[in-house]
Amino acid sequence: MKYRFGLPKKIVFGAAATFLLSFASAQTVSEGIINLDSHKYAKAKEIFNQMIAKSPTAENYYYLGYSYLSQFEPNFELAKENFDKGLAIDSKSYLNKIGLATIKLGKGQKASAITELTQVAKESKEKDAEVLYRIGEALTMFENNNDPALAITYINKAIEKAQKYGVPAYYYYTLGDAYRLTRDPGNAMTAYDRASEVAKNKASVFYRMATLWMAAKQYKKAEENIVKAINTDATYAPAYKAQAQYNKIFQKHEETTQSLINYTKYADEDPSTALEIAKLYFINSDFAESKATLDKVFDKVNDPIKFKLRAYLQYNENDFVNAKTNLETYYAKVEQSRIIPSDAGLEAVIYAGLASKEADAAAKAALMQKANEKLAVVKAAKDDTLDWDSEFAKASSGAAELQAKADAGPSNDNIVALKKQVAANKEDTTALFNLAMAYQEVSNWDGAALAWQKMNDLLPTWEPAYYSKGYALQQAGYKELAAVAFQKYIDVALTKTPAEQQALQETLFGAYYSVAYLLHTTDKVKANEALQKALAMKPNDHNSLLLQKELMK
């Protein structure tokens, strides 16, 4: 199951040491910022709180407030509380004014926020490099509410102002981030190169370069920079997060898990970080670890995202009733600007799952109507958080309980032995293939479909497994889900070279015909589209011509 949480995120976290502070204080600020950059949010907040205890200045309150904006899921309430305290001490504090405007950006109030940031720049007469930098950084912090072009302007002004005292590496980091948002990887890499010339911790630079190469799908260079980051500083947590993302791309599940373990080891135990780790485990399909991590901090974090993550976990366990309750709680508590298309997708599959268990015909129809309405929303957005067609068909057909049905189905000693072999090494595709075939030999089609699905997860470009899964699902009685599997076979087969496709003509025809046959009573439009493609390959096929007559009725 592929998943990503499309939430506001910062590609990197800025660092700051205001020039207005004394040397000793700046060192302390620097230490706090280094911890933020290393995903040690609890430690950073501890440092900033100590600074406030010693010297409750407007600047110190700003940095504490900033730490709440920098964490994975911003805590706008606590950030605002500290910015307000800073302004109570100094009503002209530019940094705290920037902090409040940044919160507006995070909440989707972009026009108002930019007006306030521009006003701060005007009031400061653009003389302070740190103020200019912070304005630019604010304009890069939120994925869906930013202005990278304007950010580049302000950050370049900050760099020019800072030349006299030495430009901090984090100015260049954020400049690189801004260029990334404008889809200009060349200038982004140039900015990171400039950061490498002055950065004290090169691991931080290598990490950013790695994520940039990964975004560009230059995976060899991404891996090289991940290794460099870890070799430079084996305690730098973000490098392991990047490594986990890299391993996930190549379906290296065990390696991904180990990277997440290392990330957990070197990041700190801040509840916000633990929530992020729970999400990463979910993305890696380590549902038990995700649930265990979430449960540990559920009552310690206020972010409503925790309810959505729990809803996903409960959906995965076929607990549709509680999944619906948690998703509704998420909607009730979350800022409207944070609701994204995949939320409608989750609603759709939950409603479909509820419908599959509903005995009353009218209630079932009502649930399916809601499910289809929500599915239309997520598909219109072209969201690929999950394979929504597959998840929808699985939930609505009752195939969500495939594992239980497989375990209750026919078995033998060979199947038992192969299941143990697969459990010992989840990436043993040979054992998984043999298990799928063994299930088919005893007509345990639920088990075969499940095994082929696991093969899809491990080898997403190996098209035979999709065809085999479609056949197994068809035999098990899951028509719509089988059609999705055959369509996936077609989609993958069509990515092959013309010569490779030529060798697949017979099975391509079979897949098109199967989609048409399986959907001819429920979705005549899709069925006819698939049938026309089948007939284009075999114009005189008897069964296809009979099905064509059926569709014309």
Side-chain angles (χ1 to χ4, degrees):
M1 181 183 289
K2 181 182 73 170
Y3 187 75
R4 72 175 190 278
F5 283 82
L7 306 164
K9 52 182 178 287
K10 295 142 300 278
I11 303 170
V12 295
F13 302 99
T18 180
F19 301 123
L20 301 176
L21 298 176
S22 67
F23 176 76
S25 296
Q27 289 292 92
T28 306
V29 168
S30 178
E31 183 183 352
I33 296 302
I34 287 170
N35 278 283
L36 287 180
D37 178 69
S38 301
H39 297 187
K40 292 177 169 53
Y41 299 103
K43 180 62 177 176
K45 291 167 190 170
E46 178 186 329
I47 290 169
F48 295 136
N49 273 306
Q50 289 174 352
M51 289 169 58
I52 290 170
K54 292 178 180 179
S55 180
T57 64
E59 289 83 2
N60 288 346
Y61 275 111
Y62 165 76
Y63 289 117
L64 181 57
Y66 170 73
S67 69
Y68 285 107
L69 291 184
S70 299
Q71 62 190 36
F72 293 106
E73 295 301 331
N75 188 322
F76 296 127
E77 184 178 341
L78 289 177
K80 183 178 185 304
E81 179 182 313
N82 283 283
F83 297 145
D84 285 341
K85 287 180 179 178
L87 284 167
I89 294 170
D90 178 2
S91 62
K92 296 181 179 180
S93 172
Y94 300 135
L95 291 179
N96 285 292
K97 287 181 180 180
I98 292 168
L100 292 177
T102 305
I103 291 173
K104 285 191 173 183
L105 268 177
K107 291 185 174 184
Q109 300 166 26
K110 183 176 175 179
S112 175
I114 290 178
T115 297
E116 291 183 14
L117 291 170
T118 304
Q119 182 60 30
V120 171
K122 182 179 179 181
E123 289 176 4
S124 69
K125 298 181 181 179
E126 298 191 359
K127 291 183 177 181
D128 191 319
E130 183 70 1
V131 170
L132 291 168
Y133 165 73
R134 287 297 169 189
I135 293 172
E137 182 197 34
L139 293 165
T140 69
M141 288 182 73
F142 304 100
E143 185 176 45
N144 297 319
N145 296 291
N146 56 56
D147 191 330
L150 187 57
I152 290 168
T153 298
Y154 278 114
I155 296 169
N156 276 324
K157 287 181 180 181
I159 289 171
E160 183 180 349
K161 291 285 183 184
Q163 292 291 344
K164 182 177 179 180
Y165 303 99
V167 181
Y170 56 85
Y171 280 28
Y172 293 121
Y173 292 155
T174 308
L175 180 62
D177 297 344
Y179 277 120
R180 288 175 74 160
L181 289 169
T182 63
R183 301 184 186 279
D184 186 348
N187 275 320
M189 188 61 75
T190 297
Y192 294 152
D193 282 335
R194 293 174 74 184
S196 70
E197 297 171 4
V198 294
K200 292 182 179 179
N201 188 349
K202 303 295 185 186
S204 191
V205 181
F206 293 135
Y207 156 70
R208 287 162 171 81
M209 290 180 171
T211 59
L212 180 58
W213 285 122
M214 217 180 316
K217 297 185 179 180
Q218 297 289 322
Y219 297 119
K220 181 175 174 55
K221 291 181 178 179
E223 183 183 29
E224 289 173 355
N225 279 280
I226 290 169
V227 171
K228 285 180 182 178
I230 293 171
N231 287 343
T232 301
D233 182 357
T235 68
Y236 187 69
Y240 296 103
K241 185 180 180 186
Q243 188 181 57
Q245 293 166 337
Y246 173 85
N247 287 329
K248 178 63 178 173
I249 290 170
F250 290 96
Q251 303 293 315
K252 298 178 179 179
H253 298 287
E254 298 297 332
E255 289 91 337
T256 301
T257 297
Q258 186 56 55
S259 296
L260 291 177
I261 290 171
N262 287 331
Y263 177 70
T264 305
K265 177 180 178 182
Y266 295 115
D268 63 18
E269 296 183 1
D270 183 78
S272 174
T273 308
L275 182 60
E276 177 71 7
I277 292 167
K279 288 187 287 184
L280 293 172
Y281 274 123
F282 183 89
I283 293 167
N284 193 42
S285 301
D286 291 336
F287 303 120
E289 286 294 334
S290 179
K291 183 178 184 300
T293 305
L294 178 63
D295 287 346
K296 287 178 183 177
V297 296
F298 195 84
D299 294 331
K300 298 178 182 178
V301 290
N302 295 321
D303 197 302
I305 197 71
K306 67 181 182 180
F307 294 104
K308 182 164 68 169
L309 177 55
R310 180 163 279 179
Y312 268 104
L313 287 163
Q314 289 166 334
Y315 163 73
N316 185 66
E317 295 171 346
N318 310 319
D319 184 0
F320 304 120
V321 173
N322 283 317
K324 179 175 179 290
T325 298
N326 275 292
L327 187 58
E328 287 172 345
T329 303
Y330 166 73
Y331 280 138
K333 293 179 176 291
V334 75
E335 290 278 345
Q336 293 300 300
S337 63
R338 294 176 64 187
I339 294 175
I340 53 179
S342 60
D343 296 340
L346 178 56
E347 250 188 304
V349 295
I350 289 173
Y351 277 129
L354 289 168
S356 72
K357 296 186 176 185
E358 180 57 62
D360 182 78
K364 186 182 188 77
L367 286 167
M368 283 306 297
Q369 181 179 346
K370 289 181 180 179
N372 280 297
E373 288 171 356
K374 295 298 180 180
L375 183 65
V377 171
V378 73
K379 294 190 72 174
K382 296 182 179 179
D383 178 87
D384 64 350
T385 297
L386 289 180
D387 182 345
W388 295 113
D389 284 329
S390 180
E391 292 296 327
F392 190 84
K394 181 178 73 174
S396 60
S397 65
E401 298 175 358
L402 215 57
Q403 184 67 65
K405 293 179 180 179
D407 292 341
S411 185
N412 55 33
D413 291 343
N414 186 34
I415 289 174
V416 172
L418 286 167
K419 285 173 69 176
K420 289 180 180 178
Q421 191 173 342
V422 170
N425 182 1
K426 295 178 182 178
E427 297 184 25
D428 188 342
T429 53
T430 300
L432 200 51
F433 175 87
N434 291 335
L435 177 60
M437 299 302 291
Y439 272 131
Q440 291 185 180
E441 288 173 5
V442 299
S443 297
N444 186 333
W445 299 108
D446 294 283
L450 192 64
W452 289 122
Q453 175 58 54
K454 291 178 180 177
M455 188 72 83
N456 294 159
D457 293 339
L458 292 172
L459 302 173
T461 61
W462 192 57
E463 76 283 353
Y466 294 105
Y467 196 99
S468 298
K469 182 175 70 172
Y471 180 75
L473 288 166
Q474 183 177 1
Q475 293 299 309
Y478 305 116
K479 291 184 179 180
E480 292 184 2
L481 194 54
V484 171
F486 283 121
Q487 183 60 54
K488 185 64 177 179
Y489 169 83
I490 294 166
D491 294 341
V492 175
L494 293 180
T495 65
K496 307 295 180 181
T497 65
E500 290 171 328
Q501 288 184 40
Q502 188 60 40
L504 300 174
Q505 289 300 293
E506 191 65 32
T507 47
L508 265 173
F509 166 78
Y512 279 123
Y513 175 81
S514 293
V515 171
Y517 175 74
L518 290 163
L519 298 180
H520 81 278
T521 60
T522 56
D523 192 335
K524 287 192 174 184
V525 174
K526 285 185 180 179
N528 192 57
E529 289 175 356
L531 184 61
Q532 293 309 309
K533 291 177 180 178
L535 283 167
M537 300 175 77
K538 288 189 177 183
N540 300 316
D541 180 72
H542 178 68
N543 289 329
S544 297
L545 292 171
L546 288 176
L547 184 56
Q548 186 177 47
K549 289 181 180 179
E550 183 69 22
L551 283 168
M552 293 175 67
K553 291 181 180 179

